[in-house]
Amino acid sequence: MSNPASPPAAGVVDDRPPLTFPPGFLWGAATAAYQIEGAAAEGGRTPSIWDTFSHTPGRVVEGHTGDVACDHYHRMGSDVALMAELGLKSYRFSVSWPRVQPGGTGPANAEGLDFYRRLVDELLGHGIEPWLTLYHWDLPQPLEDAGGWPARDSAARFADYATLVADALGDRVRYWTTLNEPWCSAFLGYGSGVHAPGRSDGADAVRAGHHLMLGHGLAVQALRAARPTAEVGVTVNLYPVTPATDAPADVDAARRIDGLANRFFLDPLLRGSYPADLMADLAGVTDFGHVRDGDLATISTPLDVVGVNYYSRHVVAAPVPGAEPEPYWRAPSCWPGSEDVRFVTRGVPVTDMNWEIDAPGLVETLRRVHEEYTDLPLYVTENGSAFVDEVVDGQVDDVDRLAYFDAHLRAAHEAIEAGVPLRGYFAWSLMDNFEWAWGYTKRFGMVHVDYDSQVRIPKSSARWYAEVIRRNGLAAQ
Ligand code: FCB
């Protein structure tokens, strides 16, 4: 592709050197089933918690649903051709559980599996490595009706589903992610209720987090049994958590939020234990009676890779009595036991999600996972930004998104130089899509989607990324 746009803004002298990534670095882009597929009631698919949630008035901005989304189910062939045109080395997608196992129990739905078989074959035919995520938030509704993730049985159901998908696709998919961002499933789904299924109970959120991880461990074992050569991992969303000042009360607020956001998952998954301070913080919420002997050993079943999703940093401060919480963190809270911690905005540039742009935080996050938790290969399985885009003469010149990617790729490279075994990077997202509670109002894509016509337009960031992939790195400016 010609003439890739490059940051920084015109007129600004930039003497940054070109950066080359290690040979074989896996350059990709990511999506998720409910966010792009549409065809919600076709091919034997039945509702997930996100169908129910999005069809409940007041839950999603403007009442948007994933019924049609990007219509990827019907446009898969041309979407893969677009990926090939961009030169993607890998594509991370998720399988819709209720498409391949409607209801969440019982036999596979052949028509549903066939869609993913065709997708994988199409990718392989274009030399694109498929990266399959089993769970990107679309729990079959009947499993929610039976208690959802706070119920222990959901973990076993998830392992059965993993076996069913591995039996069907294991011969052609090498990379497997069990869960995407269990923090969101547990704490936004069952804590604040801003995500499906929209329940708000701190103890349920903690139980959900545990059973998600238990399901992950059982699924890792199921995948290995079905496909011994599979490369298996999990994807967690991590944030550096910084105290607003070095006052002890702010430092303690940061410790608490770091416990809930990061260590709640990293410690059980990679060390086989819950942090003692986190359990103490949660003492008023739960007694952890849902944790059974052997669970943590299952949860910490060895992995082959670890996926990190990175978007931003949290800066927090001690509670101020009577202060209004930030709207995003409003009660009911996604921080059980630490509801009154304040999330502070520093006045640095933000994306259209109001998330602070903090590329150094990616270096910090990757180094922490490597230095404190594991020697396993790491992959950035999501990183990206929402900005308001404008189509002008059939083009979208998304300079802010492009600059975000550029800054974060420089950070990824810095992490590699610091010794992090980072093996790949997936941009979020391949194309604009259904951004959960924000519906179609937030655009994260490198490819613009017109939701009326379903026309795709690669934005400047997509053309630039194609050039990054072609060079295996960033050009001199
Ligand atoms: C992550 C999700 C992904 C997308 C991005 C913006 O939390 O995994 O589906 O919504 O945020």
Side-chain angles (χ1 to χ4, degrees):
M1 298 202 175
S2 60
N3 192 26
S6 310
V12 177
V13 177
D14 182 10
D15 54 4
R16 291 174 297 182
L19 296 179
T20 303
F21 281 70
F25 193 79
L26 198 60
W27 295 103
T31 64
Y34 191 70
Q35 295 181 274
I36 65 163
E37 284 180 6
E42 283 179 54
R45 184 185 181 280
T46 59
S48 76
I49 54 175
W50 269 98
D51 296 88
T52 308
F53 188 79
S54 65
H55 280 271
T56 306
R59 293 302 208 170
V60 175
V61 170
E62 295 178 24
H64 292 164
T65 75
D67 287 1
V68 177
C70 306
D71 197 31
H72 170 73
Y73 186 77
H74 297 116
R75 294 165 195 268
M76 183 269 285
S78 50
D79 284 340
V80 174
L82 183 55
M83 297 175 211
E85 202 185 314
L86 296 175
L88 296 190
K89 304 283 186 217
S90 183
Y91 172 55
R92 174 175 178 249
F93 62 96
S94 80
V95 170
S96 161
W97 187 347
R99 193 180 288 293
V100 305
Q101 191 187 34
T105 50
N109 169 32
E111 202 176 340
L113 281 175
D114 192 52
F115 170 72
Y116 296 104
R117 242 185 240 117
R118 285 187 288 114
L119 167 62
V120 167
D121 286 348
E122 198 72 23
L123 291 168
L124 292 171
H126 283 89
I128 301 171
E129 182 85 54
W131 187 301
L132 187 155
T133 297
L134 283 167
Y135 187 72
H136 204 126
W137 307 354
D138 41 5
L139 185 71
Q141 183 61 41
L143 295 188
E144 170 58 23
D145 298 340
W149 287 111
R152 188 176 175 89
D153 190 51
S154 294
R157 300 283 68 75
F158 182 61
D160 287 352
Y161 156 65
T163 299
L164 176 154
V165 181
D167 285 345
L169 299 172
D171 58 340
R172 48 197 107 177
V173 174
R174 177 169 168 207
Y175 293 101
W176 296 74
T177 292
T178 53
L179 307 173
N180 177 71
E181 301 191 353
W183 182 84
C184 294
S185 300
F187 290 96
L188 298 182
Y190 296 91
S192 65
V194 301
H195 278 188
R199 285 160 59 181
S200 304
D201 181 292
D204 278 346
V206 173
R207 292 169 68 92
H210 183 74
H211 294 140
L212 280 152
M213 289 192 281
L214 183 63
H216 151 82
L218 294 170
V220 173
Q221 295 171 2
L223 289 169
R224 292 216 193 290
R227 286 287 151 186
T229 56
E231 303 256 349
V232 184
V234 63
T235 278
V236 283
N237 54 318
L238 302 177
Y239 294 80
V241 185
T242 309
T245 73
D246 54 14
D250 288 351
V251 172
D252 194 60
R255 178 196 60 73
R256 296 177 80 101
I257 297 303
D258 177 54
L260 285 165
N262 301 318
R263 293 181 290 120
F264 185 103
F265 297 95
L266 288 173
D267 282 48
L269 291 165
L270 297 171
R271 291 182 178 159
S273 59
Y274 280 106
D277 67 308
L278 169 73
M279 292 181 77
D281 292 344
L282 284 166
V285 176
T286 175
D287 61 4
F288 280 84
H290 52 277
V291 179
R292 296 199 191 156
D293 284 353
D295 282 5
L296 285 154
T298 303
I299 288 171
S300 57
T301 301
L303 301 175
D304 303 299
V305 302
V306 174
V308 173
N309 289 359
Y310 177 78
Y311 288 94
S312 189
R313 177 190 301 271
H314 292 321
V315 181
V316 300
V320 168
E324 276 295 305
E326 294 277 326
Y328 184 79
W329 312 105
R330 70 186 180 276
S333 170
C334 53
W335 307 107
S338 298
E339 293 85 352
D340 51 2
V341 169
R342 288 182 301 135
F343 283 74
V344 175
T345 48
R346 295 172 292 173
V348 305
V350 296
T351 68
D352 191 35
M353 299 295 282
N354 238 345
W355 297 346
E356 292 191 351
I357 301 171
D358 194 317
L362 176 58
V363 187
E364 230 174 279
T365 300
L366 293 171
R367 287 191 66 163
R368 181 191 195 184
V369 175
H370 175 61
E371 289 165 16
E372 294 180 25
Y373 287 94
T374 182
D375 287 332
L376 287 173
L378 305 185
Y379 288 83
V380 172
T381 39
E382 284 180 28
N383 174 240
S385 53
F387 286 103
V388 176
D389 292 320
E390 235 191 313
V391 184
V392 180
D393 296 334
Q395 306 283 322
V396 181
D397 193 19
D398 58 338
V399 285
D400 291 332
R401 188 176 293 99
L402 192 160
Y404 181 101
F405 282 132
D406 179 85
H408 287 76
L409 285 177
R410 286 176 193 280
H413 193 274
E414 189 180 327
I416 293 170
E417 290 198 318
V420 174
L422 181 70
R423 302 278 197 264
Y425 173 95
F426 291 79
W428 184 271
S429 175
L430 173 69
M431 56 184 151
D432 295 334
N433 58 48
F434 175 81
E435 178 47 35
W436 308 115
W438 294 97
Y440 300 100
T441 64
K442 304 291 179 191
R443 292 180 178 271
F444 275 91
M446 292 191 304
V447 173
H448 182 271
V449 176
D450 177 321
Y451 295 110
D452 294 324
S453 66
Q454 292 295 346
V455 166
R456 276 79 160 131
I457 302 173
K459 305 176 191 176
S460 294
S461 60
R463 298 183 182 284
W464 170 86
Y465 192 54
E467 188 62 19
V468 169
I469 297 173
R470 199 189 60 73
R471 292 171 187 272
N472 195 37
L474 296 155
Q477 303 295 326

